[in-house]
Amino acid sequence: MSDALYHELHELATEQTNAATTQIDCLSAAEIARLMNAEDATVAAAVETQIAQIGVAIEGIAARMAQGGRLIYIGAGTSGRLGVLDASECPPTFGADPGQVVGWLAGGTRALTHATERLEDDAQAGADAVEEIGVRPLDSVVGLTASGRTPFVLGAMDAARGRGAFTIGVTCNAPSLLDERVEVMIAPITGPEVIAGSTRLKAGTAQKMVLNMLSTGTMIRLGKTFGNLMVDVNASNAKLRERAIRIVQEATGLPRAEAAAALETAGGETKTAIVAVLTGLPADEARAKIAAANGSVRAALGPIAPCP
């Protein structure tokens, strides 16, 4: 390791020694858990400082996705794995089209279960990933790196910005080398980890919270929910089919049997069932009304369900 890199890493907040946990190996199991919980309790406050930037990011992502763009997460190690996790949960939760939310991890699928951290040092590999994904101007690319200096991510963000994409950085250190490479910087400062330098802990939790907000906020803005009901849920198994019935019940007030029948009449489409029931329209007309409202149940219902 070069002297410059040593000092660069040594100065990162996430690499510092946590004074509260220097004797953690002397504690009982319950005391370890209690101390970790106390440290985790600080994470939400760190994320709260970034709400304005997160809001800007959500609006930018949603505006581009409404025109056919994608949300793309790029990272290495824990950060990259969190991006893949968030992306993989969008289709079943929100009925997102495959490929609409993409998680790209340095090292590919093998890196999900095997340590391949050496790959994060390759900036060209990050640029190559952007080319392989085929990043376009309507895409939103989120660079995930707890340190804010991972070469793979920096290379990817340089390439993404060069292609005209909307670029967002998520890190737990500031200032960072990522700052100048993105349009929106989200940097919850979580401080020293319970185990020094183990950024899968507080930094990982903070990044997961941010990703939850980015994807969920975007999907809400795109009409993937009605209130807090996931009306675009992909009912691909028994649990999710039952959830879809409950959603129709909650949105319409129907008894379970009638909600299930409405859902069946609507071809299993939760949105269509809700709009058909509340407007009294046939399923085909309800479906057309939703399409005209860009997929928003609330907009399709109009004066029947105004926002407060």
Side-chain angles (χ1 to χ4, degrees):
M1 182 185 296
S2 68
D3 287 344
L5 179 56
Y6 170 81
H7 289 297
E8 182 182 314
L9 289 173
H10 185 70
E11 292 172 359
L12 295 177
T14 51
E15 294 293 324
Q16 303 304 304
T17 299
N18 191 325
T21 63
T22 56
Q23 305 297 320
I24 196 169
D25 60 331
C26 299
L27 302 180
S28 69
E31 288 169 334
I32 290 170
R34 185 175 295 109
L35 184 51
M36 291 184 69
N37 186 59
E39 289 293 313
D40 286 342
T42 68
V43 175
V47 173
E48 185 179 13
T49 67
Q50 303 299 299
I51 293 301
Q53 296 93 304
I54 293 169
V56 170
I58 290 170
E59 293 291 1
I61 296 166
R64 288 162 177 79
M65 194 172 280
Q67 300 176 70
R70 298 170 293 172
L71 169 58
I72 300 167
Y73 298 129
I74 294 183
T78 296
S79 300
R81 294 182 189 104
L82 290 169
V84 171
L85 173 63
D86 195 75
S88 69
E89 292 177 340
C90 286
T93 305
F94 298 111
D97 293 333
Q100 194 172 25
V101 183
V102 177
W104 193 276
L105 171 62
T109 55
R110 175 176 169 76
L112 287 171
T113 57
H114 294 77
T116 55
E117 272 64 19
R118 63 181 179 79
L119 298 174
E120 69 183 44
D121 293 335
D122 191 343
Q124 184 58 50
D128 292 343
V130 165
E131 181 175 355
E132 187 170 346
I133 296 168
V135 169
R136 306 181 295 266
L138 282 177
D139 291 334
S140 301
V141 182
V142 181
L144 304 167
T145 162
S147 67
R149 59 160 305 282
T150 305
F152 178 88
V153 176
L154 300 182
M157 300 314 290
D158 283 339
R161 193 160 191 179
R163 286 170 169 256
F166 179 44
T167 51
I168 302 156
V170 179
T171 183
C172 292
N173 284 283
S176 76
L177 297 176
L178 192 58
D179 295 358
E180 62 196 45
R181 292 171 164 85
V182 299
E183 294 166 69
V184 180
M185 189 71 240
I186 301 170
I189 306 305
T190 50
E193 296 287 2
V194 169
I195 304 301
S198 182
T199 52
R200 71 183 186 87
L201 300 175
K202 292 192 297 181
T205 300
Q207 289 176 90
K208 182 62 169 72
M209 291 175 70
V210 170
L211 297 187
N212 284 348
M213 293 178 185
L214 293 180
S215 59
T216 304
T218 295
M219 294 300 167
I220 291 170
R221 297 294 286 163
L222 291 174
K224 296 287 188 177
T225 68
F226 177 43
N228 62 1
L229 302 176
M230 56 172 80
V231 290
D232 253 338
V233 62
N234 180 8
S236 55
N237 62 23
K239 180 189 76 173
L240 294 176
R241 285 192 292 274
E242 184 59 34
R243 180 176 292 164
I245 294 171
R246 291 202 314 273
I247 288 170
V248 175
Q249 282 186 268
E250 291 189 37
T252 64
L254 288 178
R256 185 189 182 285
E258 292 181 32
L263 190 61
E264 184 176 355
T265 300
E269 298 170 0
T270 311
K271 283 182 172 181
T272 301
I274 292 169
V275 173
V277 169
L278 293 180
T279 62
L281 294 172
D284 286 346
E285 292 184 35
R287 189 177 293 113
K289 198 171 185 66
I290 294 165
N294 296 317
S296 170
V297 169
R298 194 175 296 279
L301 292 172
I304 296 175
C307 282

